[in-house]
């Protein structure tokens, strides 16, 4: 038995989120519980096809099963999307350091997500909801390409009922009459919110281009580099700080991250390519 | 523990060691696995490090993750200082918690016998990146060291418990070296160090204050230099594969047919276009010069920040292997010049 050996998990439910995004609910085959901290990631194996890193989108308070929300984008996810309830996949982890939730206590938490980047942020949001009284306020800004590309559509009505949470959504484009919320890229939502920057932490996850412009916008809004938390996703292969793939400067994203502050990354070349 | 031994005594004893796979360097500079006694006619401890990287004995180019392997006990003989330092880099990566138990097994089952490098060649540059052409106790990785006093006589010195046990077991009847033998050894070492420095007179010499680190670190803005230096690079990956301290690998899960699946740990190369590419096609280092630069920064900046020593040990394999004749030392010089600094201080 080596440290790169996955454990078997059974797919017990598949939820269609968008035309190319599905959420897989996975349960350990041996009946064990799966514990992780929000923001940590796993390596998921489709046997005989490939292995790739994903961040669970479920609450860490729920240990019977884990949810992983996955976009069909390459060779491995193509096969994964064709899998059925009852099929078995492999999982290693959890790896890395998650969101430092304790350090958010007493503050406003501004969560900014783009596209399928809401997956890890959903896990964070569910964690914050468990302890909602400990935070000043939670603001979720979420942007997707079109109204069809929005993930967890069925959860937003539920979340917006919770006291202490404010939700703003945008889409890049839509058909006339299809969308009555903001149209535009996610950063434009940041102009619509009323926050006391000094007392706020921003947590960002999304595609590289979105992370880049959101970070620039936050700096523009006078956020300090150490107030901006970024979920850096690279092609982690081993997950244990050895294989080298996810190196960014002297950090290994898999071991030192995947959550970093902008303070840690600002002097490194090409963080968002 | 030290012992005075003749070369023929050493060879005689190696012939009779059982229970270990014995790996030794040959005159044509290859690692050879001892199969028959005649193989030892090829043994040559006074050549520079072999052509192939030593990492293959702890970190094979391709290793299955699906099957349990039987532990293999091995003795690697005549390892040069540059390779001992390289193993130190690999140890930092693979043995840090959680340890890679495949690598750990190889390391635990290996006796490393180092040997002073008394005939350095022009590709050697250990002494200018903070190393030296011989191994001492506090280098921490070698179990036992061989120093030639002259052609026929040697000093064996144990550095670890494993090494001391080995000496006690096979060399208990031998005498201690005389004081004059040790003096001769020290003078051989000085001569060899000087030779490496001479060969590298035109290059940057490490000054214990991170000279290579500083030179390579603040070069993000020198894109033009990196583009120029990497222009000849054909991205064959030779320098990565042959480097004793390049540790990158990929967990490869794939199949030939539904019955024939495999999962293995294979060497990977940061010069390859797809190395850092993620699903969907985004690539943090999509240009050749960025990948080229990354390798230098990995060796002289990033791992230096992590471990306080360079992940380049001056073995010179990358210089020897490069089909475009790219010389790591010259690349560093062009950075120095581009910054308008003096090469020789």
């Amino acid at each position: 038995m080596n440290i790169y050996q996955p454990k078997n998990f059974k797919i017990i439910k598949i939820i269609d989120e968008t035309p190319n995004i599905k959420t897989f609910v996975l349960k350990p085959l041996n009946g064990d519980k799966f514990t992780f901290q929000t923001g940590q990631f796993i390596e998921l194996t489709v046997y005989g096809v490939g292995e790739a890193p994903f961040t669970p989108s479920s609450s860490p308070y729920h240990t019977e099963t884990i949810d992983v929300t996955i976009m069909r984008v390459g060779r491995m996810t193509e096969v994964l999307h064709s899998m059925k309830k009852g099929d078995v996949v492999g999982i290693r982890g959890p790896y890395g350091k998650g969101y430092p939730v304790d350090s958010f206590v007493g503050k406003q938490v501004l969560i900014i997500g783009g596209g399928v980047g809401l997956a890890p942020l959903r896990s964070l949001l569910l964690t914050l909801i468990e302890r909602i009284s400990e935070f000043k306020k939670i603001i979720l800004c979420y942007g997707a390409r079109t109204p069809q590309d929005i993930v967890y559509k069925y959860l937003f009505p539920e979340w917006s009922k919770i006291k202490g949470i404010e939700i703003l959504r945008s889409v890049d484009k839509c058909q006339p009459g299809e969308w009555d919320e903001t149209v535009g890229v996610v950063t434009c939502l940041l102009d619509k919110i009323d926050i006391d920057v000094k007392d706020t932490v921003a947590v960002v996850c999304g595609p590289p281009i979105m992370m880049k412009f959101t970070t620039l916008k936050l700096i523009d809004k006078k956020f300090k580099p150490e107030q901006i938390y970024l979920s850096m996703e690279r092609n982690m292969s081993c997950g244990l700080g050895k294989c080298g793939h996810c190196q960014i400067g002297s950090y290994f994203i898999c071991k030192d991250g995947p959550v970093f502050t902008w303070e840690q990354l600002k002097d490194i070349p090409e963080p968002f390519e | 523990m030290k012992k005075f031994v003749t070369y023929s005594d050493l060879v005689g004893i190696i012939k009779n060691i059982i229970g270990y796979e014995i790996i030794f360097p040959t005159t044509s500079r290859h690692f050879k696995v001892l199969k028959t006694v005649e193989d030892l006619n090829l043994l040559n401890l006074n050549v520079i490090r072999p052509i192939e990287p030593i990492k293959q004995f702890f970190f094979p180019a391709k290793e299955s993750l699906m099957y349990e392997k039987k532990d293999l006990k091995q003795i690697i003989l005549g390892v040069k200082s540059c390779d001992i330092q390289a193993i130190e880099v690999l140890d930092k990566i693979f043995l840090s918690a959680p340890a890679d138990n495949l690598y750990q097994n190889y390391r635990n089952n290996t006796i490393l016998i180092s040997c002073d490098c008394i005939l350095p060649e022009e590709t050697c540059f250990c002494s200018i990146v903070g190393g030296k052409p011989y191994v001492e106790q506090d280098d921490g990785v070698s179990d036992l060291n061989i120093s030639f006093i002259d052609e026929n006589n040697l000093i064996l010195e144990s550095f670890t418990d494993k090494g001391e046990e080995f000496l006690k077991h096979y060399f208990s009847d031998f005498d201690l070296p005389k004081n004059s033998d040790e003096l001769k050894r020290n003078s051989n070492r000085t001569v060899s160090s000087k030779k490496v420095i001479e060969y590298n007179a035109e290059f940057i010499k490490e000054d214990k204050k991170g000279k290579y680190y500083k030179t390579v670190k603040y070069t993000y803005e020198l894109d033009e230099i990196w583009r120029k230096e990497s222009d000849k690079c054909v991205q064959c990956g030779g320098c990565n594969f042959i480097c004793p301290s390049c540790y990158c690998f990929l967990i490869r899960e794939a199949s030939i047919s539904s019955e024939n699946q495999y999962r293995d740990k294979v060497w990977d190369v940061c010069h390859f276009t797809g190395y850092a590419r993620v699903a969907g096609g985004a690539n943090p280092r999509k240009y050749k010069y960025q990948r080229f630069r990354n390798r230098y920064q990995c060796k002289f900046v990033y791992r230096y920040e992590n471990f306080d020593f360079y992940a380049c040990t001056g073995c010179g394999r990358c210089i020897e292997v490069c089909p475009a004749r790219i010389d790591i030392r010259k690349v560093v010089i062009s950075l120095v010049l581009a910054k308008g600094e003096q090469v020789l201080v």
Side-chain angles (χ1 to χ4, degrees), chain A residues 109-140:
Chain A
V109 186
L110 172 59
I111 300 174
I112 309 158
V116 75
L118 189 60
L121 297 174
R122 182 180 88 156
S123 173
L124 172 67
L125 185 67
L126 294 171
T127 309
L128 299 179
I129 288 172
E130 290 281 340
R131 307 168 52 174
I132 191 109
S133 60
E134 297 176 49
F135 311 97
K136 223 165 157 184
K137 191 178 179 185
I138 296 158
I139 305 168
L140 171 64

Side-chain angles (χ1 to χ4, degrees), chain A residues 14-105:
Chain A
I14 302 173
I15 303 159
D16 287 318
E17 302 284 354
T18 77
N20 64 352
I21 299 172
K22 288 182 180 183
T23 296
F24 296 84
V25 183
L26 308 169
K27 192 178 169 58
L29 212 55
N30 63 3
D32 280 356
K33 290 189 185 312
F34 185 83
T35 53
F36 68 100
Q37 287 163 4
T38 184
Q40 282 189 303
F41 73 97
I42 55 158
E43 289 283 350
L44 193 150
T45 296
V46 176
Y47 290 110
V49 178
E51 185 177 51
F54 298 97
T55 303
S57 52
S58 50
S59 165
Y61 289 93
H62 180 81
T63 55
E64 300 293 320
T65 58
I66 58 163
D67 295 1
V68 194
T69 303
I70 295 169
M71 184 192 273
R72 191 182 72 236
V73 71
R75 197 175 44 84
M76 180 259 190
T77 50
E78 183 80 48
V79 178
L80 189 61
H81 268 239
S82 71
M83 292 179 88
K84 302 272 175 293
K85 194 175 144 181
D87 287 346
V88 172
V89 294
I91 284 184
R92 298 190 283 128
Y95 296 132
K97 297 189 180 106
Y99 295 109
V101 175
D102 289 335
S103 70
F104 298 167
V105 169

Side-chain angles (χ1 to χ4, degrees), chain A residues 1 4 48 245 247 270 273, chain B residues 68 100 268 286 293 303:
Chain A
M1 187 73 174
Y4 309 110
H245 282 87
Q247 289 173 105
E270 303 118 20
E273 286 294 325
Chain B
E68 293 284 320
D100 177 327
D268 205 353
K286 55 172 145 323
R293 179 187 67 198
R303 300 296 81 81

Side-chain angles (χ1 to χ4, degrees), chain A residues 1-5 45 47-49 51 92 234-235 237 240 242-245 247 249-250 267 270 273, chain B residues 65 68 93 96 98 100-101 247-249 251 253-255 263 268 275 277 286 290 293 303 305-306:
Chain A
M1 187 73 174
N2 56 68
I3 57 166
Y4 309 110
Q5 206 61 51
T45 296
Y47 290 110
V49 178
E51 185 177 51
R92 298 190 283 128
R234 288 273 165 98
N235 60 346
S237 179
L240 295 158
K242 307 196 187 299
C243 80
H245 282 87
Q247 289 173 105
S250 57
D267 297 326
E270 303 118 20
E273 286 294 325
Chain B
L65 297 174
E68 293 284 320
I93 294 287
S96 67
D100 177 327
N101 45 356
Y247 51 81
C248 286
F249 65 90
I251 307 276
E253 172 83 34
S255 56
R263 181 181 178 84
D268 205 353
Y275 174 84
R277 187 171 57 210
K286 55 172 145 323
Q290 294 172 323
R293 179 187 67 198
R303 300 296 81 81
E305 285 175 355
N306 294 150

